Amino acid sequence: MLMGKVVGHIVSTRKNEKLVGSKILEVRLIENAEETDKFLIALDSVGAGIGERVLLTTGSGARLALDNQSTPTDAVIVGIVD
Amino acid sequence: MLMGKVVGHIVSTRKNEKLVGSKILEVRLIENAEETDKFLIALDSVGAGIGERVLLTTGSGARLALDNQSTPTDAVIVGIVD
Amino acid sequence: MLMGKVVGHIVSTRKNEKLVGSKILEVRLIENAEETDKFLIALDSVGAGIGERVLLTTGSGARLALDNQSTPTDAVIVGIVD
Amino acid sequence: MLMGKVVGHIVSTRKNEKLVGSKILEVRLIENAEETDKFLIALDSVGAGIGERVLLTTGSGARLALDNQSTPTDAVIVGIVD
Amino acid sequence: MLMGKVVGHIVSTRKNEKLVGSKILEVRLIENAEETDKFLIALDSVGAGIGERVLLTTGSGARLALDNQSTPTDAVIVGIVD
């Protein structure tokens, strides 16, 4: 899994129907407690907000965090870091 | 997921039969609102056009965005960023 | 698989319910016997502790090391290097 | 998916029995129409030859392009770029 | 798939029970016939030894090369390069 900071909401009016209703967030990755120049776009399973430090699961494991596991995504926020 | 800008169509006359009829697009990845030097080739599920900013899902999750989920791809455009 | 050194515990009170009870560790990757600047967050299947050198499996294979294979993770510690 | 140029054949007499009979090619990746310093080894589903520009699918999607989908590979050439 | 050179054996007394009996090898990746600074840890399906040049399959496809496909790994040596 990866650590990151939520930096924005992504608005997409024209999107795949299986993504309708999903909150889409931009996350800046953190390594060794420092913000990097790498970014990922992720769905949310824990109610994360802008500025919070989060854990991300990528790949097929990400979908296991969602109610609808056929959502076409590859990254989901699975925790807020205390 | 990743963000990118559609920069071209890929034409492939000789291709795997399971890709026949698929629109194949070249996407330049965007990170932190800037275009990078990284590129991906992706199929399209939302009617994306050249110059549009898009969201890409990679890996097995990409195929969940397609009508035919046995299409041999690893990247699909799943949204147009407003 | 990857080699790394466990460098910390991640505490996440608000997390996906399928992660409740999982030990979440931060691992600094090692290549060619040297510590790198790359980090991963992983679950544990072998009782690893801070400072130990470990083997990590990533992706869908990681979950095969867990009792509950529907845990939404993409990295699990599968061995301690002697 | 990725774009690349086929640069060689890989000969492997001692290989996993599930790979016997597979053509194994080395591909130099191309980004933004320029050859990079990144290489992948891939199987072939379209009759690609040395010097041709090709499309590669990676991961589990690669195997969907093969007749035998239990072939232990993670990259398959799925098209020749015109 | 990736090419590499086997550079060592990894000894892990405390490991996931599903890895007991597996030979675990460290592989230095090779690109364009030159050894890189990237390393992977892999299981073996072909009897590879130290110093041999090998082909590696990563991800879910790696496990297709093993007798026990529920082995928690993400990289397996699938061929020796002649």
Side-chain angles (χ1 to χ4, degrees), chain C residues 15-56:
Chain C
K15 57 175 173 286
N16 189 281
E17 61 184 11
K18 291 182 180 175
L19 287 173
V20 172
S22 294
K23 183 168 64 166
I24 306 174
L25 295 172
E26 187 171 15
V27 180
R28 182 172 203 147
L29 298 186
I30 292 172
E31 289 191 281
N32 204 19
E34 292 191 20
E35 296 182 14
T36 71
D37 287 329
K38 291 178 267 185
F39 292 75
L40 276 185
I41 312 296
L43 303 187
D44 180 28
S45 74
V46 294
I50 304 279
E52 287 189 297
R53 279 200 309 151
V54 296
L55 294 177
L56 292 148

Side-chain angles (χ1 to χ4, degrees), chain D residues 6-81:
Chain D
V6 180
V7 294
H9 284 271
I10 303 292
V11 181
S12 169
T13 304
R14 287 164 60 198
K15 58 176 173 286
N16 189 282
E17 59 185 10
K18 291 182 180 176
L19 286 173
V20 172
S22 294
K23 183 168 64 166
I24 306 174
L25 296 172
E26 187 172 14
V27 179
R28 182 171 203 147
L29 298 186
I30 292 173
E31 289 191 281
N32 205 18
E34 292 191 20
E35 296 181 14
T36 71
D37 287 328
K38 291 179 266 185
F39 292 75
L40 276 184
I41 312 294
L43 303 187
D44 180 28
S45 75
V46 294
I50 306 279
E52 288 189 297
R53 279 199 309 152
V54 295
L55 294 178
L56 293 148
T57 294
T58 62
S60 57
R63 295 188 293 279
L64 296 173
L66 300 177
D67 290 334
N68 181 352
Q69 296 188 13
S70 66
T71 305
T73 187
D74 56 19
V76 173
I77 295 170
V78 296
I80 316 267
V81 180

Side-chain angles (χ1 to χ4, degrees), chain E residues 8-53:
Chain E
H9 285 271
I10 303 293
V11 181
S12 168
T13 305
R14 287 165 60 200
K15 57 176 175 285
N16 190 281
E17 60 184 10
K18 291 183 180 175
L19 286 173
V20 171
S22 293
K23 183 167 63 164
I24 307 174
L25 296 172
E26 187 172 15
V27 180
R28 182 172 204 147
L29 298 186
I30 292 172
E31 289 192 280
N32 204 17
E34 291 191 21
E35 296 181 13
T36 71
D37 287 329
K38 291 178 266 185
F39 293 75
L40 277 184
I41 312 296
L43 303 187
D44 180 28
S45 75
V46 294
I50 305 280
E52 287 189 299
R53 279 199 310 151

Side-chain angles (χ1 to χ4, degrees), chain A residues 39-52:
Chain A
F39 292 75
L40 277 184
I41 312 295
L43 303 187
D44 180 28
S45 75
V46 294
I50 305 278
E52 287 188 301

Side-chain angles (χ1 to χ4, degrees), chain B residues 29-42:
Chain B
L29 299 185
I30 292 172
E31 288 191 282
N32 204 18
E34 292 191 20
E35 296 182 12
T36 72
D37 287 328
K38 291 179 266 185
F39 292 75
L40 276 184
I41 312 295

